[in-house]
Amino acid sequence: MGGTAAAAVETVLAFVNTRADGTGRRELFEDGDSFADWLAEFDEFDEFGGEAVATDADAAAARELRDALVTVLLAHSGDEASLGEPLRHAERHLRRAGSLYPLATVVTAGGVELASPQAGVERVFGTVLAAVATFAQSGDWGRVKACRNPPCHFGFLDRTRNGGGLYCSPGCGSQVSMRNYRRRLRQES
């Protein structure tokens, strides 16, 4: 995987892995202040220079974009619950986001990239969409997945040889196996 594709997938994962879950991670887009704090931490969004200003509406828009991306990543993992109407809804949202946060082609002697011509929070959303498009062009978009362990849904890059990874870590895979085992025991009793 080239440097541009690797940077793009890191941007996507940094954005989608901001949600709260049952393992103790807290919601990083809870409100405008927490979203601004998150923005200040990432070089990709350095236009803010550590002085990011975001409203509660910006945080809500970020959660919607993130949740749509997580639904697509769950579909990449073959998660049954994300297929059908949830996936169609997520794809509609992402099409709307694509029109709200358009991208520009930047051509240099070193190559071509997509970038957001907007400023502020709109630039952040455009940057995330540009990262998705850049990584998708690598041909490995289907390898960006969300963990199928229901309390987790952490985004990860499936590095397995056959692309069959379903969980972000062996721990999540073990949790699912144990829940299935206990369910079978209850059914047998």
Side-chain angles (χ1 to χ4, degrees):
M1 176 182 333
T4 303
V9 76
E10 291 304 319
T11 298
V12 172
L13 293 175
F15 187 78
V16 299
N17 290 334
T18 56
R19 54 185 286 284
D21 66 8
T23 65
R25 284 192 301 255
R26 63 183 178 79
E27 173 62 60
L28 299 181
F29 298 165
E30 185 174 0
D31 56 25
D33 291 338
S34 61
F35 183 45
D37 289 345
W38 180 83
L39 289 171
E41 291 180 27
F42 288 93
D43 292 339
E44 293 92 348
F45 312 120
D46 62 357
E47 87 173 56
F48 292 105
E51 298 295 325
V53 176
T55 66
D56 290 348
D58 295 331
R63 288 191 304 270
E64 288 176 351
L65 179 59
R66 177 199 60 206
D67 293 347
L69 286 168
V70 168
T71 299
V72 169
L73 301 186
L74 281 167
H76 289 174
S77 295
D79 180 68
E80 298 281 329
S82 68
L83 302 175
E85 187 53 35
L87 181 58
R88 285 189 294 277
H89 177 75
E91 288 173 338
R92 279 192 304 271
H93 182 79
L94 291 169
R95 274 192 297 277
R96 272 193 316 274
S99 65
L100 289 172
Y101 315 113
L103 302 175
T105 305
V106 179
V107 180
T108 66
V112 178
E113 67 179 21
L114 293 172
S116 175
Q118 297 175 306
V121 172
E122 290 82 7
R123 181 180 181 88
V124 171
F125 298 149
T127 299
V128 170
L129 293 174
V132 168
T134 298
F135 191 72
Q137 292 302 309
S138 75
D140 288 330
W141 176 233
R143 286 186 173 268
V144 183
K145 300 178 177 183
C147 182
R148 284 182 56 177
N149 186 8
C152 181
H153 294 311
F154 195 70
F156 68 99
L157 178 62
D158 180 359
R159 297 180 189 277
T160 63
R161 185 176 299 171
N162 67 356
L166 302 176
Y167 307 106
C168 66
S169 69
C172 277
S174 294
Q175 286 177 4
V176 170
S177 294
M178 186 56 74
R179 277 195 302 270
N180 291 340
Y181 172 73
R182 289 179 181 149
R183 186 178 315 122
R184 283 191 306 274
L185 285 179
R186 282 191 302 271
Q187 290 172 348
E188 291 174 4
S189 322

